Amino acid sequence: MKIERTVALVAAMALLVPALSFAGGRSESGGPTQYTIEVTGSTSVSPLMESFAETYSAAHPHVSINVSGTGSGDGITGANTGVAELGMSSRSLRPTELGFGLDVLTVAIDAIAVIVHPDNPVSGLSRDQVRQIYTGEITNWNQVGGPDRPIAVVSREPGSGTRGAFEEVVDFVDRLVSGAIEFDGTGGVRASVAGNLNAIGYISLGSITHEVKALDIEGVAATGANVTSGAYTIARPFLVLYRQEKTASETDRFLEWMVSPEAQAIVERNYVRIN
Amino acid sequence: MNHGDSKLCAPTDARATLDDRDRLPCEFPGQAARPEYAMSSSTRIIVDRSLRHIFRIVSFFSVIALAAMVIFVFAQGLGPFFFPTAPSIAVVLENIPSARINGSLYENHRRAIPLDPEASYLTIEFPLSGTPTRISLPLYRNVEDPGRSIEFPPELQDYLSSPEHLSYTLSFPGSLPGLEPRIHINIPEPPYSFRSFITGREWRPVYRKMYGIFPMIIATLLSALGAVLVGAPVALLSCVLIAEFLPPRLSAAVTGAIELLAGIPSVVYGFFGLMIVVPGIQRLFGSASGSSIAAAIAILSLMILPTIVTIGVTALRSVPATLREASLALGATKMQTAWCVVCTSAKSGLVTGVVLGTARALGETMAVILVAGNSPQIPVSLVSSVRTLTATIALEMGYSAGRHNEMLFSIGIILFLLIFLLNGVIMRLRGKMHTEVSS
């Protein structure tokens, strides 16, 4: 019996050990100073962070930056627990999250554009009208000068940074009309609006494509210039969260670089630079 | 080692167990007549027993994995119903470099400062634009309404705001814009009642901290039920056609196609639904949007087809040919034989197929997220936007924190219970049918 047990145990180990060691395995190629910065969080900040990562890694080949867009909540929790060195958030921290004592760096300002199908004749709304549409007081496009069609309200899911910021700025916190369509991620909202003539949605200004049309709010177009001048008010900061005492020197340098003129020039392509 | 050969001397008696085979390795005729069988009987016993231990160890690990998962989900998901989110009220200072809270000095403290749970007052002393300021707030032990466990005097009302339920913020004018001194007071959420979780109609987890999942339970059950009502009859009829009426070659082709359907990733079904079914429903009903329970039912009924058909066809094919022959010999038509003899004998397998199809419909996530609209409301019509339990977990896991996150695990528990229930049903039905057949 003893021999069999030993044989079996060894065989089982031989099967399991390589499988388990995959989890901890990390290749150490490319020189001794190779460093990987893990960045996780908001799906709205991710595109900007990816352009940052691309430019920064090109100039600093020994630093690789892994960006994963999972959500603002995840970014804040990740930075708090140390799962990721840097967290991204597209909304200000909530009262309980402020208690984590994280360091916060604002890397850009982003406008939230209210979008409709390109064939929708409505080109602008007042902020009150937007609120009434999202709380269900306005249900037909003809109430805001459009054709006689029902309005399909498209929103982000609860907890989304974009949704939190939008509800706060437009002032209908947690009063979204029931029956609204909810999607996770900027892409989902954009695709849903692009495919439905009745739909209204909201996404980051930097993620607008020709598939959708951004509405003027109070007669002001959603553009970077109008956000800078303060005329377009539906805007929120893009935050990077970290713990000063725990970040590596490579990460500190990357953080410094993000507010440098070179990085802010990248910001300016789609978002609003910080001053 | 030549494992392939060991089965050659397996006993023909099906009742013999693996142990019998170990003990009686060479008592079968033909063994001696095989010179290519090189392994000695003692080596083979060792190999066989070792293999048996390997099987045991490997299955032990899968049991451990399952147990770990159940324990993890339950440990995370039960917390909100038994514990408050924090043991006591906590204070967070923002842009206040130095403050004295209930007598203790905090310098450059940014983390939450928990108060003594027994404290009956909250006193904060800090310099406000140069002048020392003292705020004293009485605390009450209010279990019924924790929002009232702190009282703000009228002179503070101008500075007070409540960004979310059970959180209060005092913002004072500061010298620099964006650097206003702020004091955040976070009252812990009390344990959430399980009843309000199950029967609550409002899912407003972020600001209002309401975690009612009743609309999602209804949506999950209705969409699964709808999918079974639409999909199961189609699937069962296809089973009968494939197993009983199609010529063998065509039947094999159709079975292959349906098995291919089972292998398509669910997100592809969802994409098809989003591009074809959703606009179709919008046009058909003239509703604001086609993302609705009707779209979910349409896609789910398509998705459960392969599950039911595969299991059903296997069940029908395993009905002994002698039964069919007897029925035909007695003068029954092929149709009568298929319905009255084959389907009746394979009832247990067909029901298993339908129940597993239901389980698939209950658990499907990705495709449903894309087509159902995801609004946590009780559906009032076929074009209502609805959200299922699994969709809620998938949509919000990355965005949630604290109790909101734990509540998603609680939803996981509800899903576990639903599946347990369904498995219970399947076992009872099977038991019942077996007794019917044997009696």
Side-chain angles (χ1 to χ4, degrees):
Chain A
M1 280 310 262
K2 243 185 184 169
I3 309 170
E4 296 108 45
R5 285 238 171 108
T6 327
V7 171
L9 211 62
V10 168
M13 284 298 166
L15 279 173
L16 287 168
V17 168
L20 291 175
S21 63
F22 264 113
R26 175 174 277 192
S27 59
E28 291 287 332
S29 59
T33 52
Q34 188 69 26
Y35 189 75
T36 303
I37 304 174
E38 296 288 339
V39 192
T40 181
S42 166
T43 51
S44 302
V45 188
S46 295
L48 175 65
M49 189 56 71
E50 273 157 19
S51 338
F52 275 177
E54 209 175 295
T55 314
Y56 191 80
S57 302
H60 306 80
H62 64 291
V63 180
S64 52
I65 299 163
N66 280 348
V67 183
S68 52
T70 48
S72 294
D74 220 31
I76 296 163
T77 318
N80 180 40
T81 55
V83 171
E85 213 167 351
L86 302 179
M88 303 176 278
S89 171
S90 57
R91 58 172 167 83
S92 321
L93 300 190
R94 289 167 48 201
T96 39
E97 292 162 346
L98 282 168
F100 297 157
L102 290 166
D103 292 280
V104 179
L105 180 72
T106 306
V107 295
I109 306 291
D110 176 40
I112 301 174
V114 179
I115 53 167
V116 293
H117 193 277
D119 295 340
N120 192 326
V122 175
S123 61
L125 292 172
S126 74
R127 192 199 271 243
D128 277 342
Q129 285 173 326
V130 174
R131 196 191 62 242
Q132 286 167 334
I133 287 173
Y134 272 89
T135 52
E137 289 160 57
I138 295 178
T139 55
N140 195 303
W141 282 109
N142 65 14
Q143 289 168 275
V144 291
D148 178 19
R149 282 172 156 278
I151 299 178
V153 177
V154 183
S155 168
R156 290 287 302 277
E157 73 295 336
S160 146
T162 309
R163 173 165 170 174
F166 188 72
E167 292 193 351
E168 263 167 44
V169 178
V170 183
D171 190 24
F172 65 102
V173 166
D174 254 354
R175 283 192 287 143
L176 176 68
V177 57
S178 82
I181 296 155
E182 294 178 30
F183 270 110
D184 64 334
T186 302
V189 172
R190 190 176 53 210
S192 176
V193 173
N196 186 349
L197 200 55
N198 303 331
I200 184 169
Y202 55 85
I203 60 172
S204 156
L205 179 60
S207 304
I208 298 266
T209 63
H210 64 277
E211 300 167 295
V212 292
K213 179 172 82 174
L215 294 181
D216 297 348
I217 301 297
E218 304 283 358
V220 180
T223 59
N226 284 337
V227 178
T228 317
S229 71
Y232 190 87
T233 49
I234 308 181
R236 39 71 188 269
F238 276 178
L239 307 176
V240 173
L241 311 150
Y242 58 101
R243 275 200 198 288
Q244 185 76 62
E245 66 273 19
K246 286 204 179 142
T247 47
S249 56
E250 293 295 349
T251 314
D252 289 338
R253 249 166 268 153
F254 180 49
L255 282 166
E256 268 168 46
W257 178 83
M258 279 193 261
V259 289
S260 71
E262 188 194 356
Q264 290 300 312
I266 299 173
V267 169
E268 228 167 7
R269 283 186 223 150
N270 287 315
Y271 307 92
V272 180
R273 61 189 297 158
I274 51 159
N275 293 306
Chain B
M1 285 207 295
N2 196 343
H3 290 298
D5 274 359
S6 61
K7 74 170 186 285
L8 290 176
C9 75
T12 44
D13 183 359
R15 280 171 300 179
T17 65
L18 204 57
D19 289 273
D20 293 332
R21 260 177 277 172
D22 290 346
R23 269 179 233 114
L24 310 167
C26 292
E27 289 179 13
F28 303 105
Q31 172 75 47
R34 289 181 197 281
E36 76 272 22
Y37 192 85
M39 205 184 284
S40 76
S41 61
S42 64
T43 323
R44 201 163 49 72
I45 289 174
I46 291 178
V47 168
D48 282 5
R49 286 196 180 155
S50 305
L51 278 175
R52 196 142 39 91
H53 283 298
I54 291 177
F55 294 158
R56 270 191 202 148
I57 292 169
V58 171
S59 37
F60 178 72
F61 273 106
S62 49
V63 170
I64 292 275
L66 180 71
M69 199 172 75
V70 172
I71 290 169
F72 176 69
V73 169
F74 273 73
Q76 290 273 318
L78 286 178
F81 306 112
F82 294 101
F83 307 109
T85 47
S88 68
I89 295 175
V91 178
V92 181
L93 302 172
E94 197 184 351
N95 302 322
I96 298 175
S98 151
R100 201 173 269 285
I101 295 173
N102 280 1
S104 322
L105 184 65
Y106 293 93
E107 302 251 12
N108 290 322
H109 198 97
R110 286 183 307 167
R111 289 188 185 245
I113 301 160
L115 299 184
D116 179 2
E118 303 298 323
S120 57
Y121 60 93
L122 166 60
T123 313
I124 307 171
E125 294 159 276
F126 65 105
L128 182 58
S129 23
T131 41
T133 312
R134 187 170 190 275
I135 296 171
S136 195
L137 307 166
L139 303 179
Y140 304 102
R141 197 154 287 280
N142 195 327
V143 186
E144 305 271 291
D145 182 4
R148 290 177 169 275
S149 51
I150 190 161
E151 193 183 293
F152 293 93
E155 66 266 25
L156 281 177
Q157 294 294 336
D158 287 347
Y159 306 110
L160 182 69
S161 63
S162 179
E164 52 190 72
H165 182 54
L166 297 180
S167 276
Y168 297 95
T169 299
L170 293 164
S171 312
F172 301 100
S175 43
L176 290 165
L179 289 174
E180 293 88 0
R182 287 199 189 94
I183 299 170
H184 305 277
I185 299 164
N186 297 326
I187 300 168
E189 292 172 58
Y192 204 75
S193 105
F194 190 71
R195 220 182 123 191
S196 354
F197 175 63
I198 297 288
T199 60
R201 297 189 171 203
E202 293 275 356
W203 176 259
R204 309 255 182 200
V206 179
Y207 296 94
R208 275 155 67 184
K209 317 215 160 146
M210 296 164 88
Y211 310 95
I213 62 162
F214 186 67
M216 300 168 203
I217 297 179
I218 294 296
T220 306
L221 293 179
L222 279 184
S223 54
L225 184 75
V228 170
L229 285 183
V230 177
V234 177
L236 292 177
L237 293 180
S238 322
C239 289
V240 177
L241 179 76
I242 291 168
E244 298 298 313
F245 294 102
L246 284 188
R249 200 174 288 172
L250 193 57
S251 148
V254 174
T255 315
I258 285 173
E259 273 162 12
L260 200 70
L261 211 59
I264 296 175
S266 60
V267 68
V268 177
Y269 281 96
F271 191 66
F272 169 76
L274 191 63
M275 291 297 155
I276 308 293
V277 179
V278 169
I281 285 175
Q282 185 184 354
R283 224 165 295 134
L284 190 67
F285 290 91
S287 53
S289 163
S291 298
S292 59
I293 189 166
I297 289 175
I299 288 300
L300 283 176
S301 53
L302 194 63
M303 291 184 79
I304 64 172
L305 273 184
T307 312
I308 305 181
V309 169
T310 317
I311 296 171
V313 166
T314 316
L316 291 178
R317 288 211 173 123
S318 65
V319 172
T322 48
L323 284 183
R324 285 191 193 87
E325 285 157 11
S327 165
L328 292 172
L330 286 170
T333 62
K334 216 175 167 202
M335 188 62 82
Q336 284 172 319
T337 308
W339 282 120
C340 305
V341 178
V342 182
C343 284
T344 317
S345 337
K347 204 157 68 176
S348 142
L350 295 176
V351 169
T352 308
V354 172
V355 176
L356 285 179
T358 316
R360 168 125 209 231
L362 281 178
E364 180 47 46
T365 312
M366 206 52 229
V368 176
I369 286 181
L370 286 172
V371 301
N374 306 321
S375 176
Q377 62 166 354
I378 297 171
V380 287
S381 75
L382 272 176
V383 288
S384 295
S385 156
V386 295
R387 186 195 294 197
T388 60
L389 293 168
T390 48
T392 305
I393 300 179
L395 280 172
E396 297 181 12
M397 198 40 105
Y399 299 88
S400 61
R403 173 161 284 182
H404 180 190
N405 190 274
E406 291 176 338
M407 279 298 182
L408 298 180
F409 283 95
S410 313
I411 293 179
I413 295 182
I414 300 300
L415 278 168
F416 255 120
L417 295 182
L418 272 179
I419 297 298
F420 284 152
L421 205 73
L422 212 61
N423 275 358
V425 169
I426 201 175
M427 278 176 172
R428 262 197 85 173
L429 276 177
R430 268 185 172 173
K432 222 173 167 182
M433 278 165 189
H434 279 303
T435 44
E436 269 172 26
V437 168
S438 53
S439 59

